[in-house]
Amino acid sequence: QVQLVESGGGLVQAGGSLRLSCAVSGRSFSINAMGWYRQAPGKQRELVADIRSAGNTNYADSVKGRFTISRDNAKNTVYLQMNSLKPEDTAVYYCNAVGLLRGRDFHSWGQGTQVTVSS
């Protein structure tokens, strides 16, 4: 089983910064891609950013230039640096990992961490 544990959410004023972390644990697995999604009240979950094992990244238009995703492959950890936060960034942020577990595909989610940006 692969487990994802997120940390780093909280309350911040508009214009501020937060850094989210997500550590993946388990045995006999490899990760192809990791990403961050978010879900605001009454809205569908949406992709914020993802990063492949080779390091190539993808961002939602709404966060380009403000958020940066990175990963430490040795620690199986992905980070999301969020700068210039806006009230519309308020949401529960979920970490996601896709890869192979004992030769089979897996697709796992973290429990979510709340990010609240006040105006």
Side-chain angles (χ1 to χ4, degrees):
Q1 187 176 1
V2 175
Q3 293 184 325
L4 282 64
V5 179
E6 300 132 335
S7 60
L11 173 64
V12 65
Q13 289 188 332
S17 298
L18 284 173
R19 188 190 194 211
L20 305 183
S21 300
C22 173
V24 184
S25 63
R27 302 179 74 175
S28 304
F29 71 94
S30 62
I31 299 172
N32 295 329
M34 298 186 73
W36 289 95
Y37 289 70
R38 66 187 181 187
Q39 187 166 18
K43 294 188 177 181
Q44 290 188 330
R45 190 174 297 189
E46 62 176 1
L47 174 69
V48 176
D50 62 23
I51 183 167
R52 305 290 168 166
S53 56
N56 44 315
T57 58
N58 178 47
Y59 293 92
D61 288 342
S62 59
V63 306
K64 283 181 181 177
R66 301 188 297 122
F67 292 10
T68 302
I69 189 170
S70 61
R71 63 188 283 179
D72 184 333
N73 290 332
K75 296 182 179 180
N76 289 320
T77 299
V78 65
Y79 306 96
L80 185 68
Q81 178 65 45
M82 305 185 292
N83 298 328
S84 302
L85 282 160
K86 305 175 181 179
E88 51 263 44
D89 294 317
T90 296
V92 178
Y93 284 69
Y94 296 91
C95 177
N96 171 265
V98 177
L100 290 174
L101 174 64
R102 298 186 185 89
R104 294 187 174 185
D105 292 338
F106 79 85
H107 188 178
S108 297
W109 293 91
Q111 79 284 359
T113 185
Q114 178 70 47
V115 172
T116 303
V117 184
S118 62
S119 57

